[in-house]
Amino acid sequence: MHEKIADIQNSIWKAYKDYTRHRDMKQYQADMRKVGVKYQNDPLMLRFYNNLAITWTPVIVAIQQEWNRREQA
């Protein structure tokens, strides 16, 4: 179980770090979906992933909004 938890958290962190470089929301979403698909047959780990993904959503949206404001200024 430890390896799966680490994989999920590391994959989400990688998706975030990649997003901060490429600023492509569609790519971020695709990267996140890959993690969910990987654990779709493991109910506990899928729930863990889903909860983390939900928690990250407002953070990613706020980052995108900040970038948009900077570009408009």
Side-chain angles (χ1 to χ4, degrees):
M1 183 182 304
H2 171 78
E3 293 80 14
K4 291 178 181 180
I5 292 168
D7 180 56
I8 291 168
Q9 290 186 337
N10 289 337
S11 296
I12 290 173
W13 183 252
K14 183 180 182 318
Y16 161 74
K17 292 301 288 180
D18 289 347
Y19 175 68
T20 62
R21 283 192 292 279
H22 58 58
R23 297 185 177 195
D24 183 345
M25 182 65 78
K26 288 184 180 184
Q27 183 61 51
Y28 170 78
Q29 291 169 336
D31 292 343
M32 291 294 285
R33 271 192 303 276
K34 289 177 190 175
V35 183
V37 168
K38 183 174 182 178
Y39 291 97
Q40 67 186 350
N41 295 319
D42 186 335
L44 178 61
M45 290 298 108
L46 182 59
R47 185 171 44 236
F48 178 66
Y49 157 76
N50 283 333
N51 287 331
L52 288 175
I54 290 166
T55 301
W56 270 96
T57 298
V59 174
I60 296 299
V61 169
I63 291 168
Q64 184 67 50
Q65 290 172 339
E66 182 179 316
W67 289 338
N68 291 345
R69 281 192 299 275
R70 287 182 187 173
E71 289 175 1
Q72 293 174 354

